Amino acid sequence: MKKFAVIGSPISHSLSPSIHGLFGKLCGIELSYEAIEVDRSSFTEKVMELFKDGYDGINVTLPLKNLAYEVSDHPSNASLKSTSANVIWRQEGKIHSDNTDGEGLVSDLEEKELFIENKKLLMIGAGGSAISILPSLIDRKPKEIKIINRTYSRAIELVEKFKREDVKLSAGNLLDPLSFKAEAIINTTSAGLLKEEISLPAGTFANQDWTYDLSYSNSETLFNSLARRHGIKKTHDGFGMLMQQAALSFEIWTGNKPDIKMATKLLTPNS
């Protein structure tokens, strides 16, 4: 039996055990998958302990993704670009890492026919989630990505970190009115998930084609609800991204690509 886990803090809400358990059944692979509470102070010790105990792979969630990158001996290109990792495994005594968040998001966008090439995107938030997905978004050659964040200096840091000649990156804060007319909005903050008030600049919503909230919920997320109240008709949450990035992790560990559509149907039978 193969052994896997997801680690983070908090972790009790994670759907990863259900998702990977279903992937295993669909692919005919016997496995166990646990959700384990781990904080930053005990991260390295716990990872080494899990690998010593025979775990074949570990998913890593916030706030540990940068530590997962730092502990790896062989980071993938995606990990290198984002300086973070959401999946690690041990091979020939060395820890390997990858970041499937960005490709998971892009795969879900493409599945939903939400193409970003040559588009102007607004990204809300400049934390770990933004860092994880930015390289993959930039690789799809949008016309511009404007990053707005409560701490303006953090948005500037991301612009400097990921700047390229072929894609314009710019920064703003959540206090000033927004004149940037984006064609789509991606929310990377967890404010709505944490039931915090969502405070956005005047002019944020301006007839965008669609919004995408990286958070997901059994009901409409607070961010997408706000977008709908401002007239945005196409709103999406991050459940599809969750499934896509999980499938990529599963394929890295097992060599098997699960049927995401079937898994999604089985997990959300009323959808």
Side-chain angles (χ1 to χ4, degrees):
M1 176 184 287
K2 291 185 175 293
K3 295 169 63 176
F4 305 105
V6 59
I7 61 175
S9 181
I11 201 63
S12 60
H13 68 287
S14 176
L15 295 178
S16 292
S18 298
I19 293 170
H20 284 273
L22 184 53
F23 286 169
K25 290 178 182 178
L26 291 175
C27 293
I29 299 173
E30 188 176 3
L31 60 84
S32 66
Y33 191 107
E34 303 166 70
I36 302 173
E37 187 86 14
V38 177
D39 60 26
R40 293 183 65 86
S41 64
S42 61
F43 173 80
T44 301
E45 180 182 358
K46 188 62 179 180
V47 164
M48 298 307 176
E49 177 186 317
L50 291 172
F51 283 134
K52 185 177 180 181
D53 288 344
Y55 281 74
D56 296 281
I58 302 169
N59 280 129
V60 182
T61 189
L62 297 174
L64 308 174
K65 293 182 182 181
N66 66 313
L67 296 180
Y69 165 74
E70 290 172 2
V71 80
S72 67
D73 303 297
H74 294 284
S76 69
N77 285 336
S79 270
L80 284 169
K81 288 180 180 179
S82 63
T83 62
S84 66
N86 71 328
V87 52
I88 55 176
W89 68 100
R90 192 161 65 173
Q91 184 176 329
E92 298 179 351
K94 301 293 185 180
I95 295 177
H96 295 247
S97 69
D98 203 344
N99 191 324
T100 65
D101 285 332
E103 290 306 300
L105 170 61
V106 169
S107 294
D108 192 44
L109 292 177
E110 293 174 350
E111 178 73 22
K112 292 177 168 62
E113 298 186 348
L114 306 175
F115 303 107
I116 61 176
E117 184 178 359
N118 206 35
K119 302 290 187 180
K120 295 174 72 174
L121 305 179
L122 176 66
M123 176 179 286
I124 302 171
S129 296
I131 292 171
S132 290
I133 65 173
L134 258 175
S136 292
L137 291 176
I138 294 170
D139 284 345
R140 266 59 181 192
K141 304 291 181 65
K143 185 175 184 179
E144 181 177 354
I145 301 176
K146 188 176 186 70
I147 305 164
I148 60 173
N149 193 57
R150 183 177 301 172
T151 305
Y152 177 62
S153 61
R154 183 62 178 155
I156 289 290
E157 286 177 16
L158 263 61
V159 168
E160 291 299 314
K161 179 182 179 68
F162 294 107
K163 65 181 178 181
R164 281 179 20 180
E165 292 184 0
D166 56 341
V167 177
K168 182 179 179 181
L169 298 180
S170 58
N173 62 50
L174 293 178
L175 300 176
D176 299 331
L178 192 64
S179 59
F180 179 75
K181 300 303 180 185
E183 294 166 85
I185 303 175
I186 298 175
N187 177 43
T188 73
T189 72
S190 58
L193 184 65
L194 299 174
K195 307 302 181 184
E196 297 173 358
E197 181 182 353
I198 300 176
S199 179
L200 298 172
T204 296
F205 297 108
N207 298 315
Q208 281 84 13
D209 296 334
W210 50 268
T211 64
Y212 194 104
D213 189 353
L214 265 56
S215 298
Y216 56 90
S217 172
N218 290 330
S219 57
E220 187 173 52
T221 68
L222 292 178
F223 176 81
N224 280 337
S225 178
L226 183 62
R228 282 189 179 274
R229 291 202 299 273
H230 282 82
I232 309 301
K233 293 181 172 59
K234 294 182 180 179
T235 60
H236 305 272
D237 70 16
F239 185 77
M241 172 185 167
L242 174 70
M243 295 297 292
Q244 294 283 352
Q245 64 83 20
L248 290 168
S249 296
F250 189 86
E251 187 174 4
I252 287 170
W253 293 331
T254 69
N256 289 267
K257 188 173 184 177
D259 186 333
I260 297 176
K261 288 185 177 180
M262 177 60 70
T264 300
K265 184 177 180 180
L266 292 171
L267 283 168
T268 55
N270 296 323
S271 62

